[in-house]
Amino acid sequence: MSYNFNEIEAKWQKYWAENQTFSASNSSNKPKYYVLDMFPYPSGAGLHVGHPLGYIASDIYARYKRHTGYNVLHPQGYDSFGLPAEQYAIQTGQHPALTTAKNIKRYREQLDKIGFSFDWSREVRTSDPEYYKWTQWIFIQLFESWYDLETEKSRAITELEDIFASEGNSRIKAACDDEVVEFSADAWNAFSSEEKQQILLKYRLTYLAETEVNWCPQLGTVLANDEIVNGVSERGGYPVVRKKMTQWSMRISAFSERLLQGLDQLDWTESLKESQRNWIGKSVGAHVDFNVQDSGYKIGVFTTRPDTIFGVSFMTLAPEHDLVQKITTPQQKEEVEAYIAASAKRSERERMADVKSITGVFTGAYAEHPFTKEPIPIWIGDYVLAGYGTGAVMAVPCGDQRDYDFARHFEIPIPNIFDNVDISEQAFSGKEGTVIANSDFLSGLEYKEALQKVILELEKTGHGYGKTNYRLRDAVFSRQRYWGEPFPVYYVNGMPQMIDAQHLPLQLPEVEKYLPTETGEPPLGNASTWAWDTQANKIVSNEKIDDETVFSLELNTMPGWAGSSWYLFRYMDAANKEEFVSKEAQEYWENVDLYIGGSEHATGHLLYSRFWTKFLHDRGYLSVKEPFKKLINQGMILGQSAFVYRLDFVFEYKNESDLIEDNPTASIYYNSIFISKNEVDNPEGLKNKLFDIIENNNEYTSLVESLKSGKFSNLPTLSISKIHADVSLVNHSDELDIEGFKKWRPEFKEAKFLTEKDGAYIVGREVEKMSKSKYNVVNPDDICEDYGADTLRMYEMFLGPLEQAKPWNTAGITGVHNFLKKLWKLYHNGEKFEVLEEKASADSLKTLHKTIKKVTEDIEEFSFNTSVSTFMICVNELSAQKCKSREVLEPLAVLIAPYAPHIAEELWSKLGHSTSIVTAEYPVFEEKFLVESTKNYPVSFNGKMRFTIELPLDMPKDEIEKTVMADERTQKQLDGRTPKKVIIVPGKIVNIVG
């Protein structure tokens, strides 16, 4: 009976769907286990073979946990809001909801073909109003909360109002904006409603503020730092500038210490934890205020080295700093404004990474040193970021290399405040053992003592105080996009008001176009019906805004990370219409036991999700403080890109004057010849071929005439351009389908291809990230069709360790496919299924149990690649042993089921079971089957081994000798002679001498 994998896989996929085999219950006597993948964004390109890698790993583990007696929750859904769908809508006019639904349908078909054990009854889509209703609800809870720094807990804003009403804000320790002023209880009670709202907005966990953002004019939206690559947008490659805008922000900075401390309790890789630690960026030091001369302004700085304050020789502000425009002198204004405009075109990431460029401008203003009262020049430089710290630094060039380089470049003094330290060539950044010099009351003190003393003096004189600072900044939460969650916000006299939760969801309106309005408003500004009637509690026409009860709605939408920050909890109770998750469901599932996804989300999604979880815990909506217990970052499957090599040649004019009076006809032949890979390393040898082609082809007549005119150099300059070719046009021998390539790239339909002697054009190969833009993607549908989903699953695991990047090579997949055919054959005799009730041999039981032991250890260690190797060894051994015993083959089917579930289900059914193999108990390893009871003794004659004999390990020496001497092979070797002696080492050797 042949292994008809297509038929088998379709059969069991249908069975699982119809029987809801993987549906999890929210109540069970079994222990729970929650396995989750980072859900996909459903792009129009569909899945390539790199996408399922993490899904396959999590599915193996989920299936394994079911076999071992757990109630497993393994859901899936779609992160379905996003910029790509909106950009496609702009290009085509199609509503993003339509293209998103189409893409989801495609993803679902592909995922089902691979045989994942997802509980699809719990599917979520972030763009579904029934889902984002609860994202809006969480936003409202954040708006109605503040952060108490004393209790380190989020609290209801009504509690803060009560405190203000009874005692004002002088004693409250809360996370808030910097410019909050003190007021008494009497003052608070006398404030108008609008004044109170303005004050509370400075304390709320989500608030409106003017912030520096990454603005992309072509995309018409704000971009997160991770959406920018080399100063341009990741999508489209458009320029990005820094711009101030009024945005919704999340006060994640209030949670910095808790986010830092919480990492210690998580089973995450140390590298991932370190990424978050660095992003949070805790540092201990002091806040110092410098008065700006001849003004009432102060410049606040945070420094970890206040002990070096007497080494300050200048200050540097970020170009975006609020004070720059206020303190710049008229003489410096033009130069400063030009510098600000230039730095706005560089992303923060680019500015941070650029340590070589030294740029800056003097403002013309001076600050006053807090102790010496000496004037300190104030510069601006884009190595200082507005959003980090205070956006200003006190520059100590003798102790900081960037300050040192800046000072030397602009010839600013570099005073030395370190005893016996040479700073003639570079700055000195040492701390321990350093003695401070030339520093008034700090001179002669070591680092720690000087640090404590200067902070005391700063506090005494009112110029500063000790402070712990964090790099983590509040997260901008607004996007100027259409395809995102609408804010449940309307405005009364410019102040934000929340729509009552009972009237959610606030759904996206229809718009004529998805671009910003002509006046620069976000796309929602194009909606004619986007106003809120507070009396009818519904969306109404904008024309009614003049009515007393109708107000304008927020035009921005939420960012992509809004819906992904809490989706793990919705899976627990996806159909609940009354709560985002019931208390019972959440307390049963708690949080995710195993989370698998890409490391690129370390400082984005993972940090935001931890923040929202802690907030929801504080407010009593969750029983857990962390979303993900164990986290594994799967590596990337790399593509085998294919390249063709275009020969670019230019015939140069001999005289520059000809460039003006004559048009170079050679330019039309600039990109029309492609050379095979084997010719790439010999460009000089191509010139003769090139001239032969030119001279012997009529179409090159005009070029030949131009060459003969004498205006061109006889020899062209040559260069070679590498161009991606679609890997589907290349066979396993790296030969290009030339005609197919010409049809695919019509601009090269007339091109010449210089082939090998056998007529083949050989492409170059390189391993790169698998990407549609590199034309190196492999469609999993094709693999499933040609080899089967079980082959795909096992091959992806076989490629290498889960966490490492590894190249895809379709040619290697046949080995895994042949293994599955050999597994199938193990249960069959020709066309007949044959598994016998006979007792298994000791060898077969040994093979089975060493496989159980190794595979179980591998699964627990997530070492799936070595599991596949172990299965191959097992099947080879059982085949050699001609094993047909149910005692071995039945547990083997269960053992391999997490990896190759379709073939395992079919074999399980043939073994006589009427229920899914999913319900089968996992095989138990028994040590006794690996304990050796016999020894295969090598029998030697005068030290030369002649044969082996299997004997019981506990056989006495005299019995061993009798048995060996009685063996006919011994008699044949002795040929009637009597040996001088017989040497026996029990459990090792037998040596007959003489």
Side-chain angles (χ1 to χ4, degrees), residues 240-312:
V240 177
V241 297
R242 299 289 294 170
K243 179 180 177 181
K244 284 192 174 181
M245 295 180 68
T246 299
Q247 305 278 291
W248 282 102
S249 291
M250 290 279 173
R251 214 178 292 278
I252 187 175
S253 60
F255 292 74
S256 295
E257 187 63 27
R258 286 171 67 187
L259 290 168
L260 200 58
Q261 297 302 323
L263 291 169
D264 295 337
Q265 279 70 55
L266 299 178
D267 185 6
W268 293 12
T269 63
E270 196 54 39
S271 62
L272 189 59
K273 289 182 181 181
E274 198 59 25
S275 292
Q276 291 210 350
R277 290 190 187 105
N278 291 335
W279 195 261
I280 296 166
K282 182 179 181 179
S283 51
V284 179
H287 176 92
V288 185
D289 284 321
F290 289 79
N291 294 325
V292 179
Q293 287 187 340
D294 303 320
S295 78
Y297 299 123
K298 289 183 178 181
I299 298 175
V301 302
F302 172 80
T303 174
T304 59
R305 296 295 305 273
D307 57 304
T308 65
I309 195 165
F310 286 95
V312 176

Side-chain angles (χ1 to χ4, degrees), residues 209-484:
E210 191 178 62
T211 55
E212 282 280 335
V213 296
N214 302 311
W215 173 252
C216 181
Q218 279 86 347
L219 294 177
T221 189
V222 168
L223 298 177
N225 285 332
D226 56 8
E227 294 174 312
I228 303 168
V229 178
N230 299 323
V232 297
S233 63
E234 184 178 32
R235 184 167 183 83
Y238 300 118
V240 177
V241 297
R242 299 289 294 170
K243 179 180 177 181
K244 284 192 174 181
M245 295 180 68
T246 299
Q247 305 278 291
W248 282 102
S249 291
M250 290 279 173
R251 214 178 292 278
I252 187 175
S253 60
F255 292 74
S256 295
E257 187 63 27
R258 286 171 67 187
L259 290 168
L260 200 58
Q261 297 302 323
L263 291 169
D264 295 337
Q265 279 70 55
L266 299 178
D267 185 6
W268 293 12
T269 63
E270 196 54 39
S271 62
L272 189 59
K273 289 182 181 181
E274 198 59 25
S275 292
Q276 291 210 350
R277 290 190 187 105
N278 291 335
W279 195 261
I280 296 166
K282 182 179 181 179
S283 51
V284 179
H287 176 92
V288 185
D289 284 321
F290 289 79
N291 294 325
V292 179
Q293 287 187 340
D294 303 320
S295 78
Y297 299 123
K298 289 183 178 181
I299 298 175
V301 302
F302 172 80
T303 174
T304 59
R305 296 295 305 273
D307 57 304
T308 65
I309 195 165
F310 286 95
V312 176
S313 62
F314 64 100
M315 299 191 75
T316 313
L317 307 184
E320 308 86 359
H321 196 289
D322 289 340
L323 283 181
V324 172
Q325 300 285 5
K326 298 173 183 176
I327 66 174
T328 298
T329 61
Q331 296 86 343
Q332 294 297 110
K333 186 175 182 181
E334 184 177 344
E335 193 176 355
V336 166
E337 288 181 348
Y339 186 81
I340 291 172
S343 64
K345 297 176 182 177
R346 304 180 73 201
S347 70
E348 286 191 359
R349 187 171 290 179
E350 186 181 1
R351 285 161 58 178
M352 290 170 67
D354 184 5
V355 295
K356 294 181 180 179
S357 302
I358 301 173
T359 64
V361 176
F362 178 45
T363 65
Y366 291 84
E368 183 183 84
H369 193 285
F371 296 119
T372 69
K373 308 306 178 184
E374 292 291 321
I376 302 169
I378 303 170
W379 288 68
I380 61 172
D382 68 1
Y383 74 95
V384 181
L385 304 178
Y388 178 56
T390 63
V393 298
M394 60 174 220
V396 182
C398 68
D400 180 273
Q401 193 59 43
R402 269 203 148 174
D403 293 344
Y404 185 92
D405 294 339
F406 192 95
R408 290 194 70 162
H409 184 80
F410 291 107
E411 299 181 349
I412 302 171
I414 305 177
N416 189 358
I417 57 161
F418 301 118
D419 191 31
N420 291 321
V421 172
D422 179 16
I423 61 163
S424 60
E425 297 298 327
Q426 61 182 13
F428 175 73
S429 59
K431 290 182 180 179
E432 303 301 327
T434 303
V435 176
I436 302 296
N438 306 316
S439 298
D440 197 359
F441 60 88
L442 298 179
S443 295
L445 301 180
E446 290 193 358
Y447 161 67
K448 288 184 178 178
E449 190 178 357
L451 186 71
Q452 293 172 352
K453 188 165 185 178
V454 73
I455 290 174
L456 284 174
E457 288 298 320
L458 286 168
E459 292 176 346
K460 188 186 299 183
T461 60
H463 284 103
Y465 48 87
K467 185 181 181 184
T468 298
N469 200 42
Y470 299 90
R471 182 181 293 117
L472 182 64
R473 289 167 282 173
D474 287 347
V476 175
F477 199 67
S478 295
R479 296 294 184 268
Q480 291 64 47
R481 300 175 187 168
Y482 171 78
W483 192 234

Side-chain angles (χ1 to χ4, degrees), residues 1-57:
M1 184 179 291
S2 62
Y3 170 41
N4 190 335
F5 53 87
N6 293 124
E7 185 180 302
I8 290 168
E9 290 174 0
K11 169 186 173 182
W12 288 106
Q13 287 163 13
K14 181 182 178 185
Y15 175 90
W16 295 331
E18 290 177 348
N19 291 275
Q20 297 187 30
T21 304
F22 310 115
S23 180
S25 169
N26 279 2
S27 60
S28 173
N29 293 327
K30 297 178 180 179
K32 72 94 185 181
Y33 201 86
Y34 186 177
V35 182
L36 185 62
D37 304 289
M38 292 184 186
F39 61 174
Y41 172 77
S43 72
L47 296 172
H48 61 62
V49 293
H51 292 127
L53 179 68
Y55 302 163
I56 295 169

